[in-house]
Amino acid sequence: MSFELILVIVTAVTGVIAYVDRLVWRPKREGALTMEREPLLIEYSRSLFPVFLVVLVLRSFVIEPFRIPSGSMYPTLEIGDFIAVSKFSYGIKLPVTQTKIIPIGEPERGDVVVFSYPKDPDVDYIKRIIGLPGDKITYVGRTVFVNGKPIVQQPDGKYLGNDSGAVMNGANIVIETMDNGHSYHILHDMDKSSRDMDTITVPEGHYFVMGDNRDHSNDSRFWGFVAEKNLKGKAFGIWMNWDNGIHLNRLGKGIE
Protein backbone atom coordinates (compact mmCIF):
# COMPACT_ATOMS: atom_id res chain seq x y z
CA MET A 1 0.00 0.00 0.00
CA SER A 2 1.45 3.37 -1.04
CA PHE A 3 2.14 6.16 1.44
CA GLU A 4 -0.26 8.41 -0.49
CA LEU A 5 -3.11 5.92 -0.11
CA ILE A 6 -2.36 5.50 3.60
CA LEU A 7 -2.39 9.29 4.03
CA VAL A 8 -5.75 9.57 2.26
CA ILE A 9 -7.26 6.83 4.46
CA VAL A 10 -5.92 8.29 7.70
CA THR A 11 -7.12 11.78 6.76
CA ALA A 12 -10.58 10.48 5.87
CA VAL A 13 -10.94 8.39 9.03
CA THR A 14 -9.83 11.14 11.42
CA GLY A 15 -12.01 13.66 9.57
CA VAL A 16 -15.11 11.48 9.82
CA ILE A 17 -14.52 10.82 13.53
CA ALA A 18 -14.03 14.55 14.26
CA TYR A 19 -17.14 15.46 12.21
CA VAL A 20 -19.41 12.84 13.82
CA ASP A 21 -18.15 13.83 17.26
CA ARG A 22 -19.01 17.47 16.62
CA LEU A 23 -22.56 16.66 15.46
CA VAL A 24 -23.49 13.67 17.62
CA TRP A 25 -21.16 12.50 20.35
CA ARG A 26 -20.11 15.85 21.86
CA PRO A 27 -23.69 17.14 22.32
CA LYS A 28 -24.55 13.88 24.09
CA ARG A 29 -21.57 14.22 26.43
CA GLU A 30 -22.39 17.85 27.17
CA GLY A 31 -26.04 16.95 27.83
CA ALA A 32 -25.24 14.19 30.26
CA LEU A 33 -25.72 14.84 33.97
CA THR A 34 -22.14 13.79 34.54
CA MET A 35 -19.76 15.19 31.96
CA GLU A 36 -18.06 12.26 30.27
CA ARG A 37 -14.36 12.34 29.53
CA GLU A 38 -13.59 12.69 25.84
CA PRO A 39 -12.27 9.38 24.43
CA LEU A 40 -8.64 9.43 23.36
CA LEU A 41 -9.53 8.34 19.82
CA ILE A 42 -11.76 11.39 19.37
CA GLU A 43 -9.22 13.72 20.98
CA TYR A 44 -6.42 12.53 18.73
CA SER A 45 -8.62 12.56 15.63
CA ARG A 46 -9.76 16.13 16.20
CA SER A 47 -6.18 17.28 16.84
CA LEU A 48 -4.49 15.40 14.00
CA PHE A 49 -7.09 15.76 11.25
CA PRO A 50 -6.03 19.34 10.32
CA VAL A 51 -2.38 18.24 10.23
CA PHE A 52 -3.10 15.25 7.99
CA LEU A 53 -5.29 17.40 5.75
CA VAL A 54 -2.61 20.07 5.27
CA VAL A 55 0.06 17.43 4.52
CA LEU A 56 -2.27 15.69 2.06
CA VAL A 57 -3.12 18.89 0.21
CA LEU A 58 0.49 20.08 0.02
CA ARG A 59 1.85 16.68 -0.98
CA SER A 60 -0.86 15.95 -3.55
CA PHE A 61 -1.32 19.33 -5.19
CA VAL A 62 1.63 21.63 -4.41
CA ILE A 63 5.02 20.14 -3.61
CA GLU A 64 6.45 16.77 -2.63
CA PRO A 65 9.94 15.88 -1.35
CA PHE A 66 11.96 13.01 -2.76
CA ARG A 67 15.38 11.56 -1.99
CA ILE A 68 17.81 10.48 -4.71
CA PRO A 69 18.87 6.88 -3.99
CA SER A 70 21.07 6.13 -7.01
CA GLY A 71 23.66 7.67 -9.31
CA SER A 72 21.65 7.47 -12.54
CA MET A 73 21.27 11.27 -12.72
CA TYR A 74 24.89 12.30 -12.12
CA PRO A 75 26.10 15.02 -12.52
CA THR A 76 22.75 16.85 -12.21
CA LEU A 77 21.59 15.00 -9.10
CA GLU A 78 23.78 13.17 -6.63
CA ILE A 79 23.12 10.31 -4.25
CA GLY A 80 21.73 11.80 -1.05
CA ASP A 81 20.10 14.84 -2.66
CA PHE A 82 16.70 15.72 -1.23
CA ILE A 83 14.74 17.38 -4.00
CA ALA A 84 11.52 19.36 -4.27
CA VAL A 85 9.01 18.39 -6.96
CA SER A 86 6.23 20.62 -8.24
CA LYS A 87 3.00 18.60 -8.28
CA PHE A 88 1.04 21.09 -10.37
CA SER A 89 3.44 21.75 -13.26
CA TYR A 90 1.59 19.29 -15.49
CA GLY A 91 -1.89 19.77 -14.06
CA ILE A 92 -3.80 19.13 -10.85
CA LYS A 93 -4.36 15.42 -10.25
CA LEU A 94 -6.43 13.61 -7.66
CA PRO A 95 -4.35 11.66 -5.12
CA VAL A 96 -4.06 7.87 -5.54
CA THR A 97 -6.00 7.66 -8.84
CA GLN A 98 -3.83 10.38 -10.48
CA THR A 99 -6.83 11.53 -12.51
CA LYS A 100 -6.13 14.97 -13.97
CA ILE A 101 -8.88 17.43 -13.03
CA ILE A 102 -7.27 20.75 -14.02
CA PRO A 103 -4.83 20.91 -16.97
CA ILE A 104 -2.07 23.47 -16.46
CA GLY A 105 1.02 22.65 -18.51
CA GLU A 106 2.63 19.94 -20.58
CA PRO A 107 6.01 18.23 -20.15
CA GLU A 108 8.81 19.59 -22.33
CA ARG A 109 12.00 18.03 -23.62
CA GLY A 110 14.69 18.43 -21.00
CA ASP A 111 12.39 18.45 -17.96
CA VAL A 112 13.57 16.36 -15.00
CA VAL A 113 10.54 14.43 -13.79
CA VAL A 114 9.56 12.04 -11.02
CA PHE A 115 7.26 9.22 -12.08
CA SER A 116 5.94 5.84 -11.03
CA TYR A 117 8.16 3.13 -12.51
CA PRO A 118 6.03 1.40 -15.16
CA LYS A 119 7.11 -2.10 -14.07
CA ASP A 120 6.41 -1.38 -10.38
CA PRO A 121 4.12 1.63 -9.76
CA ASP A 122 5.00 1.62 -6.05
CA VAL A 123 8.58 2.62 -6.92
CA ASP A 124 9.43 6.22 -7.86
CA TYR A 125 12.01 6.97 -10.56
CA ILE A 126 13.55 10.25 -11.65
CA LYS A 127 14.83 10.85 -15.19
CA ARG A 128 14.97 13.50 -17.88
CA ILE A 129 12.37 13.72 -20.64
CA ILE A 130 14.04 13.26 -24.02
CA GLY A 131 11.13 12.36 -26.29
CA LEU A 132 7.57 13.67 -26.47
CA PRO A 133 4.56 11.85 -27.93
CA GLY A 134 5.14 11.27 -31.64
CA ASP A 135 8.91 11.83 -31.51
CA LYS A 136 11.25 9.39 -33.18
CA ILE A 137 14.21 8.63 -30.89
CA THR A 138 17.53 7.01 -31.80
CA TYR A 139 20.58 6.48 -29.58
CA VAL A 140 23.85 5.65 -31.35
CA GLY A 141 27.44 6.19 -30.21
CA ARG A 142 26.33 8.09 -27.09
CA THR A 143 24.40 10.59 -29.22
CA VAL A 144 20.64 11.07 -28.99
CA PHE A 145 18.78 11.77 -32.21
CA VAL A 146 15.32 13.34 -31.96
CA ASN A 147 13.35 13.16 -35.20
CA GLY A 148 16.56 12.54 -37.10
CA LYS A 149 18.48 15.47 -35.61
CA PRO A 150 21.26 14.94 -33.05
CA ILE A 151 21.07 16.73 -29.70
CA VAL A 152 24.08 19.06 -29.74
CA GLN A 153 26.91 17.97 -27.42
CA GLN A 154 29.86 19.97 -26.12
CA PRO A 155 32.70 18.53 -23.96
CA ASP A 156 33.04 20.19 -20.56
CA GLY A 157 35.92 18.47 -18.78
CA LYS A 158 36.17 15.53 -16.40
CA TYR A 159 33.88 14.68 -13.50
CA LEU A 160 35.26 14.85 -9.96
CA GLY A 161 32.81 13.83 -7.25
CA ASN A 162 32.79 13.33 -3.49
CA ASP A 163 31.73 10.39 -1.34
CA SER A 164 29.36 8.18 -3.39
CA GLY A 165 30.00 10.25 -6.50
CA ALA A 166 33.71 9.40 -6.48
CA VAL A 167 32.89 6.17 -8.30
CA MET A 168 32.26 8.28 -11.43
CA ASN A 169 35.51 10.26 -11.21
CA GLY A 170 37.15 10.65 -14.59
CA ALA A 171 33.95 10.34 -16.61
CA ASN A 172 33.48 12.86 -19.39
CA ILE A 173 31.18 15.79 -18.62
CA VAL A 174 29.17 16.79 -21.67
CA ILE A 175 26.75 19.68 -22.17
CA GLU A 176 23.68 18.72 -24.17
CA THR A 177 21.54 21.45 -25.76
CA MET A 178 18.15 20.60 -27.16
CA ASP A 179 16.48 22.38 -30.05
CA ASN A 180 14.28 24.25 -27.55
CA GLY A 181 17.41 25.82 -26.03
CA HIS A 182 17.38 23.72 -22.85
CA SER A 183 20.97 22.88 -21.79
CA TYR A 184 22.12 20.48 -19.08
CA HIS A 185 25.10 18.30 -18.15
CA ILE A 186 25.42 14.57 -18.67
CA LEU A 187 28.18 11.99 -18.10
CA HIS A 188 29.82 9.58 -20.52
CA ASP A 189 31.73 6.67 -18.98
CA MET A 190 34.15 5.72 -21.71
CA ASP A 191 35.13 2.56 -19.81
CA LYS A 192 31.71 1.09 -20.59
CA SER A 193 30.22 0.20 -23.95
CA SER A 194 27.45 2.43 -25.26
CA ARG A 195 23.90 1.08 -25.03
CA ASP A 196 22.76 1.88 -28.58
CA MET A 197 19.10 1.81 -29.61
CA ASP A 198 17.45 1.67 -33.01
CA THR A 199 14.83 4.27 -33.91
CA ILE A 200 11.58 4.02 -31.98
CA THR A 201 8.46 6.21 -32.02
CA VAL A 202 7.05 7.54 -28.76
CA PRO A 203 3.34 6.62 -28.60
CA GLU A 204 0.63 9.15 -27.78
CA GLY A 205 0.24 9.84 -24.09
CA HIS A 206 3.77 8.61 -23.32
CA TYR A 207 7.31 9.95 -22.90
CA PHE A 208 10.82 8.67 -23.51
CA VAL A 209 13.16 9.33 -20.58
CA MET A 210 16.87 8.91 -19.91
CA GLY A 211 19.21 9.36 -16.97
CA ASP A 212 21.96 11.98 -17.24
CA ASN A 213 24.52 9.35 -16.23
CA ARG A 214 23.97 7.76 -19.61
CA ASP A 215 26.07 4.61 -19.21
CA HIS A 216 24.70 3.86 -15.72
CA SER A 217 20.97 4.49 -16.08
CA ASN A 218 18.06 2.05 -16.17
CA ASP A 219 15.71 4.05 -18.40
CA SER A 220 13.45 3.97 -21.45
CA ARG A 221 16.16 2.25 -23.49
CA PHE A 222 15.59 -0.85 -21.35
CA TRP A 223 11.95 -0.89 -20.27
CA GLY A 224 10.05 1.42 -22.59
CA PHE A 225 7.96 4.56 -22.19
CA VAL A 226 6.42 6.46 -19.28
CA ALA A 227 2.66 7.01 -19.47
CA GLU A 228 1.43 10.55 -18.79
CA LYS A 229 -0.68 9.26 -15.90
CA ASN A 230 2.52 8.00 -14.21
CA LEU A 231 4.14 11.46 -14.05
CA LYS A 232 4.17 12.81 -10.51
CA GLY A 233 5.75 16.20 -11.12
CA LYS A 234 8.69 18.28 -12.23
CA ALA A 235 11.84 18.44 -10.09
CA PHE A 236 13.02 22.02 -9.60
CA GLY A 237 15.39 22.29 -6.62
CA ILE A 238 17.63 20.60 -4.06
CA TRP A 239 16.87 21.50 -0.46
CA MET A 240 19.33 19.21 1.30
CA ASN A 241 22.01 16.58 0.70
CA TRP A 242 23.09 13.85 3.07
CA ASP A 243 25.82 11.52 1.85
CA ASN A 244 28.15 10.63 4.73
CA GLY A 245 27.32 14.08 6.09
CA ILE A 246 25.67 17.28 4.89
CA HIS A 247 27.05 18.82 1.71
CA LEU A 248 26.34 22.53 2.03
CA ASN A 249 27.25 23.27 -1.59
CA ARG A 250 24.17 21.29 -2.71
CA LEU A 251 21.64 23.20 -0.59
CA GLY A 252 19.33 25.50 -2.55
CA LYS A 253 20.72 24.41 -5.90
CA GLY A 254 18.35 24.51 -8.85
CA ILE A 255 17.89 21.63 -11.27
CA GLU A 256 18.84 22.48 -14.86
Side-chain angles (χ1 to χ4, degrees):
M1 185 180 295
S2 68
F3 175 76
E4 189 172 54
L5 179 57
I6 294 174
L7 184 58
V8 169
I9 293 173
V10 171
T11 303
V13 170
T14 54
V16 168
I17 292 175
Y19 181 73
V20 173
D21 177 63
R22 182 175 181 180
L23 293 184
V24 181
W25 299 328
R26 186 191 300 176
K28 287 184 179 180
R29 291 196 304 272
E30 293 175 347
L33 294 178
T34 303
M35 184 63 178
E36 299 180 10
R37 187 178 184 277
E38 184 176 66
L40 284 178
L41 178 61
I42 294 176
E43 180 182 349
Y44 287 146
S45 296
R46 192 179 68 252
S47 300
L48 294 177
F49 169 66
V51 178
F52 290 142
L53 182 61
V54 169
V55 172
L56 177 63
V57 170
L58 289 177
R59 190 180 185 277
S60 299
F61 304 118
V62 183
I63 191 172
E64 183 174 359
F66 289 89
R67 183 180 184 275
I68 303 300
S70 74
S72 70
M73 284 297 291
Y74 281 119
T76 305
L77 296 172
E78 299 182 359
I79 292 176
D81 280 345
F82 289 80
I83 63 171
V85 174
S86 168
K87 299 301 294 285
F88 56 84
S89 292
Y90 307 134
I92 303 298
K93 295 181 179 180
L94 294 176
V96 182
T97 65
Q98 297 303 305
T99 302
K100 185 182 292 187
I101 55 177
I102 302 177
I104 294 179
E106 297 293 333
E108 298 180 357
R109 294 189 194 94
D111 287 357
V112 176
V113 296
V114 171
F115 56 91
S116 298
Y117 179 40
K119 292 188 177 296
D120 185 356
D122 290 332
V123 177
D124 292 328
Y125 267 34
I126 183 166
K127 305 291 179 186
R128 190 180 299 277
I129 291 180
I130 301 297
L132 304 178
D135 283 345
K136 296 182 183 300
I137 308 296
T138 311
Y139 189 70
V140 178
R142 294 189 170 87
T143 299
V144 181
F145 294 80
V146 180
N147 299 321
K149 297 181 180 180
I151 297 179
V152 177
Q153 295 186 350
Q154 177 184 346
D156 195 35
K158 298 289 186 178
Y159 182 75
L160 181 61
N162 298 310
D163 295 321
S164 298
V167 69
M168 292 306 303
N169 284 353
N172 292 341
I173 301 176
V174 177
I175 301 174
E176 278 193 343
T177 303
M178 293 190 161
D179 57 5
N180 61 6
H182 193 148
S183 295
Y184 48 89
H185 291 81
I186 64 171
L187 290 184
H188 286 163
D189 184 354
M190 306 310 292
D191 291 333
K192 288 182 64 70
S193 59
S194 173
R195 169 72 179 195
D196 291 351
M197 183 190 72
D198 292 334
T199 302
I200 58 174
T201 301
V202 184
E204 288 301 315
H206 292 75
Y207 298 89
F208 184 91
V209 299
M210 298 180 74
D212 289 349
N213 192 359
R214 290 288 162 80
D215 300 303
H216 298 270
S217 174
N218 179 27
D219 51 39
S220 287
R221 292 171 291 174
F222 300 91
W223 42 255
F225 309 101
V226 178
E228 191 278 336
K229 65 179 182 179
N230 282 12
L231 296 180
K232 291 196 169 185
K234 179 181 179 181
F236 66 89
I238 301 167
W239 57 274
M240 195 182 81
N241 174 284
W242 182 272
D243 183 21
N244 295 321
I246 296 177
H247 291 221
L248 296 177
N249 64 318
R250 304 292 295 169
L251 275 60
K253 189 173 182 178
I255 297 175
E256 57 187 10

